[in-house]
Amino acid sequence: MPVDREQRLWDWEQTAQPYLLAASLLFLTSYTVRVLVPDLSPGWQAWWELVTLVTWGFFIVEYLARLALSNDRRHFLRTRWLDLIVTVLPLLRPLRIVDMHERMQRRRDHPRLALEARVMAYTGITSLLLGFAASLAVYHDERAAPGANIHTFGDAVWWACSTLTTTGYGDATPVTPRGRVVAVVLMFVGVALVGAVVGSFSSWLLRRFRQEGET
């Protein structure tokens, strides 16, 4: 029955969430260690590479399981395109936080927080995690590139902050092809996240003014 398959998909997602969170933290930890500690011993280097591969494999298996449990696989692929992107590019997994949270809220009759507060809170968490992941990726590619001006992890964090907030001072810019791809993705995501926060805050202000006007 379609309803049974939909319920099984929902149950699977609920069961897998803690393991996905743990796998995401392990993946980010392994990538962080490999980028920030370049002089690892061969044994530890192999260990963290294994952690990266195992967690990445877990993401792929979990995505394929949800695809198999869905009622309409074409509809799943069309509507869950973000899940496919973050499976192929695990550093973008923080983007799933907002999508996952909204789907969970649609299953609840009475959300515990106001919509604006939820959007701002989850957007803030997503921004922090994405900024950290982008800093790692850019620092990894830029630190030894000819003509690069991002030489330390602090430079990469500064660049990520200015890019995410759409400020773009221009004092730190990627010069490698992959670094520029990361920059383009972060710029688009930054515009969307900042727009979500500003829109939610404006909606909250309007609602407060309307309530005060009615009283």
Side-chain angles (χ1 to χ4, degrees):
M1 294 290 292
V3 176
D4 293 338
R5 291 178 66 87
E6 187 67 24
Q7 185 61 44
R8 284 169 58 192
L9 175 61
W10 170 253
D11 293 340
W12 171 268
E13 290 179 337
Q14 290 294 97
T15 303
Q17 286 309 322
Y19 301 101
L20 281 174
L21 176 60
S24 300
L25 293 175
L26 275 175
F27 183 91
L28 187 58
T29 300
S30 65
Y31 188 70
T32 301
V33 172
R34 291 168 58 200
V35 171
L36 298 184
V37 189
D39 54 347
L40 285 172
S41 65
W44 280 111
Q45 182 73 22
W47 163 255
W48 287 114
E49 288 179 357
L50 178 63
V51 171
T52 301
L53 292 175
V54 170
T55 52
W56 202 345
F58 179 76
F59 299 147
I60 295 173
V61 170
E62 193 275 335
Y63 176 80
L64 292 177
R66 285 188 291 122
L67 180 62
L69 289 172
S70 63
N71 293 326
D72 187 343
R73 292 183 176 87
R74 290 184 178 178
H75 178 74
F76 182 90
L77 291 172
R78 188 170 57 252
T79 58
R80 301 287 189 89
W81 54 269
L82 180 60
D83 290 354
L84 179 59
I85 290 176
V86 300
T87 300
V88 177
L89 302 172
L91 285 179
L92 295 179
R93 291 198 71 81
L95 289 175
R96 281 204 71 217
I97 293 176
V98 176
D99 179 64
M100 177 187 69
H101 177 68
E102 290 305 314
R103 283 190 280 110
M104 291 178 64
Q105 289 296 331
R106 286 197 291 268
R107 289 274 180 156
R108 295 178 180 173
D109 296 330
H110 304 288
R112 288 176 294 180
L113 294 174
L115 174 62
E116 296 86 355
R118 295 203 314 271
V119 171
M120 288 188 285
Y122 279 82
T123 299
I125 295 173
T126 302
S127 300
L128 288 175
L129 292 175
L130 270 180
F132 181 71
S135 301
L136 288 172
V138 167
Y139 174 59
H140 180 260
D141 291 336
E142 298 288 321
R143 57 186 171 187
N149 52 19
I150 298 177
H151 302 291
T152 66
F153 184 63
D155 294 337
V157 171
W158 169 254
W159 164 82
C161 291
S162 62
T163 303
L164 264 176
T165 56
T166 68
T167 304
Y169 288 107
D171 55 342
T173 56
V175 297
T176 61
R178 193 160 61 174
R180 289 178 174 177
V181 170
V182 174
V184 170
V185 173
L186 200 62
M187 282 187 279
F188 279 104
V189 172
V191 170
L193 293 177
V194 170
V197 171
V198 172
S200 299
F201 185 68
S202 300
S203 176
W204 177 79
L205 283 178
L206 289 174
R207 184 158 56 85
R208 293 288 297 177
F209 291 152
R210 189 181 302 112
Q211 291 175 348
E212 291 181 2
E214 290 175 354
T215 57

